Amino acid sequence: MVESNVDKEKVECIGTTDTHSGNRGSGLRREPSFSRWADEDGTIHLEGLLENTASSIEGSDFELPMLNQSELENGFIEGIRFSKFPGQRMYLNGGSTMEDLHEKDRNGKYTPFDVEKECVGDRSENIGVDEANSTASLKASSNSVSTADVLKTLFFILVWYTFSTFLTLYNKTLLGDELGKFPAPLLMNTIHFTLQALLSKAITWYWSHRFQPSVPMSYRDYFCRVVPTALSTALDVNLSNASLVFISVTFATMCKSAAPIFLLLFAFAFRLESPSFKLSGIMVVISVGVLLTVARETEFDFWGFVFVMLAAVMSGFRWCMTQILLQKEEYGLKNPLTFMSYVTPVMAVATALLSLCLDPWHEFRNNSYFNSPWHLARTCLLMLLGGTLAFFMVLTEYILVSVTSAVTVTIAGVVKEAVTILVAVFYFHDEFTWLKGAGLVTIMVGVSLFNWYKYLKLKKESPPTNPAAKYVILEDEMEEQDDIDGGKDRNIFRHILRERLSCSAPTKMINTLVLPRPSEALKFSSTKFDLARKSKYSRPRMELTLTQPDDWHLHLRDGDLLQAVAPHSAKHFGRAIVMPNLKPPITTTAAAIAYRESILKALPADGNFTPLMTLYLTDKTSPNEIKLARKSGVVFAVKLYPAGATTNSQDGVTDLFGKCLPVLEEMVEENMPLLVHGEVTDPNVDVFDREKVFIDTVLQPLIQKLPRLKIVMEHITTMDAVRFVESGKEGFLAATVTPQHLILNRNAIFQGGLQPHNYCLPVLKRETHRQAIVSAVTSGSKRFFLGTDSAPHERQRKECPCGCAGIYNAPVALSLYAKVFEEAGALDKLEAFTSFNGPDFYGLPRNTSKIKLTKNPWKVPKSFSFAFGDIIPMLAGETLQWQPCFP
């Protein structure tokens, strides 16, 4: 859990630092309340309970921005006295008070995710990264929506209307019974979808540096989210076009206007929206409108009506999924063209299969569209025209959804339907009766009520848009203190406030600002603020309280090295999976028990650290040894080192399937995990490709042969490994992740000369791979957990012509993991990664003890000196922000 610790003599305040998503360590450092994981006393829980905590400022004319962390750490507010004031609430500009910002969920139930909210954690590209940006945003705060943004949105809506109207006319002209009578509507759609796929793929390929997905797409997300979205989109379009064969454009458009009701139903089903009587009433209004459009329909056709209503159902589902995929960062499809390049190929293939089954291919030779070369060429040009119209229409739809919200698009869609009906009445001379008109108006009223309801809800629940409201300054009996210092502190506060607001707030507002009496701690952004009456205050401090983490990949060595480094790991972790690559290696259960005794002797007397032993797999390991290991109660896994892959791996496996298959089968029976150093040792394979090749040539066949074997892919380094782990069966395939592969890329080995203390195996990879791993571990997936791969070597063995591979990170690992999760805006997921996912995978109980990390800058020692020599830790001499606290 996360706490803001405040003594009686201190005032504590937590700021945020915003970053662009494209920067290193990208992501938004969001306030804890945005994830809703704090309780009422300001304590934030990471155990998965959703507690309402925040207080917000509503209706104020300006807002006070919170000091960012860098300012706090530089002592920006030191020397300012904050004391009590007799007011009971906070008033901004004469009337607005602190109110509850987030929806309450005290029973731990889900809080609906609203895709129409522009969540701070998900839309980090709109957040400034430096003081200049912050100042600019403050100056613009009085007008949160610029004229340019409005004009741009209106332009896209106009383009959408234009292409949509032309495409509707095109489809009706080609497909209508009394018009074109094109014999193969599904073939036409297949060509349109194929053209969309080719254009989007070509654009994203040509400008791949610009359109590369921000995070790798896992197979699970692709098949569970992208494919259903694509299939529903294809069915929506195909059924809509098929309905035009039987019914008029006017009637089809009126029925299709009921799509928002299905959007809402799917939102209920997916828990994206909370059901309410108001929404139910709106659904009834829209239903009445649909019935009025059907009543006395002289051109009513049962199948046409069924097709168009099924299309409306598919429309509701696909827009629900489209909004989620376009607006959620973790899927990496926020760019509309990238999203289109993913869904349109599936749409084309699905529609092609339907065309093969349903289109009258035997009639093509006798049809005027295909009965001569000239007619065939004309048909191809018509298909090209329709595909181009469809491409630009769909692209503008996706752009609108990505840059605005479902509310904007749905409101624009209501007007678009009316425009389409008017065009059909004048162009196709569709019959338009008063009853149809009443039904259309009723539908539009219902949809408008729905959008108004969503707008009011959005306005009520959204965080304040004016950056000025992020400041919360508390005073304690200011009047009493003014009697002592003549109001000096109050004037200092106003002066700093004017500076920080860049004169964007009227002087009168600042001078008349009324601040609260904090008789109780005021909760704001899930942080507890306490009050003091002293004139000097210490620097603010934030604490993370976590369940005691475990290290699921650790090298403790033996001899003097063991004595030197074991206390560091025991100080930070409750348990650790200890690697067996000693000289000689730990190949038997008896050797593992003896090594465990050596470790226990090296630990501090008051320690509570438990080593979890492993066996070193060789070509000669027997199945019986696996049985002995399981019965021993001290051996928890078997380690696979390909021979020659890393330090002390010369005794490793040379032929996994030929010599070790019986052992692996016994491991399945004993439920013994296999820990894998995932690199091939073929000298012909580039060192940066060895992990990917190992996945393709070893792990994939291994999983196919033994699907119930529990596998941990150790210290993953590539996006290929991320995708592989995410594609596997949960509970049977997982990965450990090191701090170095989350913090560093391969440039760190060579910057400023060769850096031997940044050399490890597997070697550091490209920045794109590092970002993929960060996204994976901060996503909350249970498949990834902490494994430091802390590998100490004496300094002289690192700084020599043939330096050893390995980074000693045990003293800094927790600090670095906290840094990564904070920069990704995912501190609420840190505890699961460090403390829950590992024991859950191994089937072990979670630790019950706790550990604290304090936001308190500290300097990493340049070295640790021992009788045998020095050990250089990771990031030696650098300053880290998070520091573990020990009793």
Side-chain angles (χ1 to χ4, degrees):
M1 61 184 175
V2 183
E3 296 176 352
S4 179
N5 242 14
V6 192
D7 297 331
K8 295 258 184 193
E9 303 277 315
K10 300 178 183 178
V11 126
E12 302 284 331
C13 179
I14 301 302
T16 59
T17 301
D18 301 327
T19 61
H20 275 303
S21 58
N23 293 349
R24 179 183 173 192
S26 62
L28 179 66
R29 297 182 183 180
R30 63 188 172 206
E31 305 237 4
S33 65
F34 295 158
S35 295
R36 302 172 186 169
W37 24 269
D39 62 23
E40 294 204 358
D41 65 5
T43 301
I44 302 167
H45 296 280
L46 300 181
E47 287 88 346
L49 298 175
L50 298 173
E51 294 288 342
N52 174 54
T53 61
S55 297
S56 71
I57 305 172
E58 293 186 5
S60 50
D61 293 336
F62 82 103
E63 308 170 297
L64 301 176
M66 280 185 117
L67 298 171
N68 66 40
Q69 189 63 35
S70 62
E71 292 167 344
L72 294 173
E73 290 168 357
N74 292 329
F76 181 79
I77 60 172
E78 285 184 5
I80 302 174
R81 205 161 35 233
F82 300 102
S83 48
K84 292 181 183 176
F85 190 79
Q88 290 298 322
R89 299 175 68 88
M90 171 174 252
Y91 292 88
L92 296 182
N93 195 25
S96 300
T97 63
M98 303 288 289
E99 300 293 347
D100 190 52
L101 172 64
H102 296 299
E103 296 175 13
K104 299 185 178 182
D105 192 1
R106 299 190 177 280
N107 296 323
K109 297 180 180 179
Y110 76 92
T111 302
F113 162 69
D114 191 342
V115 294
E116 294 167 356
K117 286 184 187 176
E118 191 167 350
C119 176
V120 177
D122 295 330
R123 302 299 298 267
S124 59
E125 67 270 24
N126 294 330
I127 306 299
V129 295
D130 53 25
E131 191 66 28
N133 289 346
S134 177
T135 302
S137 67
L138 284 168
K139 290 180 179 179
S141 64
S142 60
N143 183 17
S144 59
V145 181
S146 67
T147 304
D149 290 336
V150 173
L151 291 176
K152 183 171 68 173
T153 302
L154 291 176
F155 169 76
F156 282 123
I157 291 175
L158 179 61
V159 172
W160 179 32
Y161 284 2
T162 302
F163 284 111
S164 175
T165 302
F166 278 118
L167 188 62
T168 300
L169 297 178
Y170 167 91
N171 288 337
K172 182 62 180 177
T173 301
L174 258 67
L175 299 176
D177 267 343
E178 298 177 0
L179 298 169
K181 295 183 179 180
F182 187 78
L186 292 172
L187 175 62
M188 180 181 75
N189 289 339
T190 300
I191 297 172
H192 290 178
F193 292 150
T194 302
L195 186 60
Q196 293 175 47
L198 292 174
L199 287 173
S200 58
K201 285 287 186 182
I203 294 172
T204 54
W205 173 80
Y206 187 78
W207 286 287
S208 58
H209 63 284
R210 181 176 179 182
F211 294 105
Q212 185 176 10
S214 56
V215 294
M217 172 67 66
S218 67
Y219 288 110
R220 180 178 181 180
D221 285 340
Y222 182 77
F223 286 106
C224 295
R225 291 174 174 82
V226 173
V227 171
T229 304
L231 293 177
S232 60
T233 304
L235 286 173
D236 177 14
V237 175
N238 289 324
L239 290 169
S240 296
N241 287 352
S243 69
L244 294 177
V245 176
F246 304 99
I247 58 178
S248 66
V249 172
T250 302
F251 184 48
T253 304
M254 288 178 175
C255 294
K256 199 72 185 294
S257 297
I261 191 172
F262 299 108
L263 172 69
L264 202 57
L265 289 173
F266 282 113
F268 290 162
F270 295 156
R271 294 186 171 183
L272 307 181
E273 184 63 68
S274 298
S276 71
F277 288 111
K278 290 182 180 179
L279 288 179
S280 300
I282 292 170
M283 291 165 61
V284 171
V285 172
I286 297 175
S287 301
V288 170
V290 174
L291 292 175
L292 287 175
T293 60
V294 177
R296 296 188 179 181
E297 169 60 39
T298 55
E299 299 180 19
F300 180 84
D301 183 276
F302 175 76
W303 288 111
F305 177 71
V306 169
F307 286 164
V308 76
M309 292 310 294
L310 286 175
V313 174
M314 292 296 104
S315 176
F317 176 81
R318 67 119 159 180
W319 282 118
C320 223
M321 294 299 299
T322 297
Q323 289 165 349
I324 292 173
L325 290 173
L326 280 172
Q327 294 186 2
K328 292 291 284 181
E329 186 72 48
E330 58 260 35
Y331 301 122
L333 300 179
K334 297 189 74 172
N335 186 285
L337 269 170
T338 305
F339 176 77
M340 183 183 287
S341 69
Y342 271 75
V343 297
T344 48
V346 180
M347 294 158 56
V349 171
T351 308
L353 293 175
L354 291 175
S355 176
L356 289 173
C357 298
L358 302 177
D359 278 339
W361 290 83
H362 60 282
E363 300 178 4
F364 279 16
R365 289 188 177 182
N366 300 324
N367 191 277
S368 59
Y369 284 97
F370 302 98
N371 59 4
S372 70
W374 160 244
H375 288 166
L376 184 61
R378 182 188 64 181
T379 301
C380 292
L381 291 175
L382 285 172
M383 296 300 103
L384 181 63
L385 172 63
T388 305
L389 291 173
F391 172 79
F392 286 108
M393 185 199 76
V394 173
L395 180 60
T396 51
E397 285 179 336
Y398 292 159
I399 290 173
L400 281 170
V401 173
S402 65
V403 302
T404 60
S405 68
V407 172
T408 303
V409 175
T410 310
I411 291 174
V414 173
V415 182
K416 181 181 74 72
E417 305 298 359
V419 171
T420 303
I421 289 174
L422 292 176
V423 170
V425 169
F426 288 105
Y427 185 81
F428 292 121
H429 305 291
D430 284 356
E431 182 183 2
F432 190 81
T433 64
W434 287 107
L435 199 58
K436 283 185 177 180
L440 177 62
V441 169
T442 304
I443 291 173
M444 293 181 67
V445 168
V447 175
S448 299
L449 287 173
F450 166 68
N451 290 318
W452 181 248
Y453 167 83
K454 295 297 294 180
Y455 170 75
L456 291 178
K457 183 178 178 183
L458 177 66
K459 185 176 180 181
K460 179 180 179 182
E461 295 178 347
S462 293
T465 56
N466 190 337
K470 294 176 186 174
Y471 268 112
V472 174
I473 309 294
L474 304 181
E475 297 188 356
D476 188 354
E477 293 180 355
M478 180 66 82
E479 289 181 341
E480 178 182 334
Q481 189 64 33
D482 285 351
D483 293 339
I484 300 173
D485 64 6
K488 179 182 176 182
D489 287 337
R490 187 193 294 269
N491 292 330
I492 292 174
F493 162 67
R494 288 171 180 155
H495 172 73
I496 291 177
L497 185 58
R498 289 192 191 98
E499 272 192 1
R500 295 297 296 141
L501 293 178
S502 301
C503 300
S504 63
T507 302
K508 180 180 178 182
M509 291 183 183
I510 298 175
N511 289 339
T512 60
L513 184 67
V514 182
L515 297 169
R517 175 205 298 273
S519 55
E520 298 176 352
L522 174 65
K523 299 177 295 296
F524 181 78
S525 296
S526 297
T527 305
K528 184 171 72 176
F529 292 81
D530 219 340
L531 282 300
R533 298 186 60 175
K534 294 184 67 176
S535 60
K536 299 292 182 181
Y537 298 90
S538 64
R539 192 158 41 184
R541 184 181 66 187
M542 182 179 180
E543 286 186 349
L544 299 175
T545 302
L546 307 174
T547 300
Q548 180 77 54
D550 299 310
D551 188 348
W552 299 96
H553 183 128
L554 176 64
H555 296 271
L556 287 177
R557 310 304 188 198
D558 57 358
D560 290 340
L561 264 180
L562 170 61
Q563 298 290 330
V565 302
H568 284 159
S569 292
K571 194 175 183 181
H572 293 78
F573 302 101
R575 296 169 290 196
I577 286 284
V578 181
M579 294 296 106
N581 56 329
L582 305 181
K583 284 186 176 180
I586 307 300
T587 58
T588 66
T589 304
I593 293 173
Y595 183 29
R596 181 176 184 272
E597 293 300 318
S598 299
I599 295 171
L600 293 175
K601 290 178 182 178
L603 297 176
D606 58 347
N608 193 29
F609 178 79
T610 303
L612 309 176
M613 311 311 295
T614 59
L615 293 186
Y616 187 112
L617 183 64
T618 71
D619 292 343
K620 299 178 180 179
T621 302
S622 68
N624 188 58
E625 194 64 54
I626 302 303
K627 294 179 180 179
L628 292 174
R630 174 55 75 192
K631 291 178 181 179
S632 71
V634 301
V635 177
F636 291 86
V638 175
K639 183 63 182 271
L640 165 61
Y641 289 107
T646 186
T647 303
N648 296 341
S649 62
Q650 60 273 13
D651 296 313
V653 173
T654 61
D655 184 0
L656 182 66
F657 296 107
K659 298 181 179 180
C660 298
L661 191 57
V663 175
L664 298 176
E665 291 172 342
E666 185 61 34
M667 290 174 62
V668 173
E669 296 300 319
E670 297 291 343
N671 197 29
M672 179 76 76
L674 177 68
L675 315 184
V676 178
H677 181 107
E679 291 187 294
V680 297
T681 56
D682 185 345
N684 295 318
V685 177
D686 189 281
V687 68
F688 294 105
D689 297 330
R690 290 180 177 179
E691 186 171 270
K692 182 181 186 304
V693 174
F694 187 88
I695 291 170
D696 295 338
T697 60
V698 179
L699 285 182
Q700 290 282 17
L702 178 60
I703 287 178
Q704 292 175 4
K705 188 177 290 289
L706 297 172
R708 294 195 301 117
L709 178 64
K710 291 173 74 79
I711 297 174
V712 179
M713 192 172 182
E714 304 272 45
H715 41 53
I716 61 171
T717 65
T718 63
M719 66 174 63
D720 306 284
V722 169
R723 290 169 179 163
F724 171 70
V725 172
E726 289 179 336
S727 68
K729 186 175 181 181
E730 190 170 296
F732 287 91
L733 180 61
T736 58
V737 184
T738 73
Q740 55 263 31
H741 293 110
L742 291 171
I743 295 288
L744 306 175
N745 60 37
R746 64 187 185 181
N747 292 341
I749 306 175
F750 309 106
Q751 286 177 339
L754 195 64
Q755 302 296 326
H757 297 288
N758 289 337
Y759 169 56
C760 60
L761 289 174
V763 71
L764 300 172
K765 301 299 195 300
R766 290 178 182 271
E767 174 64 10
T768 52
H769 293 295
R770 186 195 70 82
Q771 292 179 3
I773 298 170
V774 170
S775 297
V777 301
T778 59
S779 69
S781 172
K782 297 180 180 180
R783 301 168 187 268
F784 304 95
F785 41 85
L786 184 157
T788 64
D789 191 20
S790 182
H793 290 284
E794 299 94 325
R795 182 173 190 163
Q796 60 268 27
R797 296 194 63 199
K798 293 286 291 181
E799 300 175 3
C800 64
C802 188
C804 295
I807 294 176
Y808 183 54
N809 59 40
V812 298
L814 290 180
S815 301
L816 296 180
Y817 286 125
K819 167 185 167 64
V820 170
F821 277 77
E822 182 186 30
E823 290 179 349
L827 279 175
D828 57 324
K829 299 179 176 65
L830 175 63
E831 188 175 34
F833 173 79
T834 61
S835 312
F836 297 161
N837 297 347
D840 291 352
F841 181 86
Y842 277 86
L844 297 174
R846 298 175 179 178
N847 294 323
T848 56
S849 56
K850 302 290 182 180
I851 190 173
K852 286 188 177 182
L853 290 165
T854 304
K855 194 72 176 289
N856 185 31
W858 65 288
K859 200 165 191 177
V860 181
K862 291 185 177 180
S863 66
F864 294 99
S865 297
F866 303 97
F868 57 81
D870 292 346
I871 300 176
I872 308 299
M874 182 179 176
L875 302 184
E878 296 192 21
T879 300
L880 303 182
Q881 297 301 313
W882 290 98
Q883 184 175 30
C885 299
F886 306 104

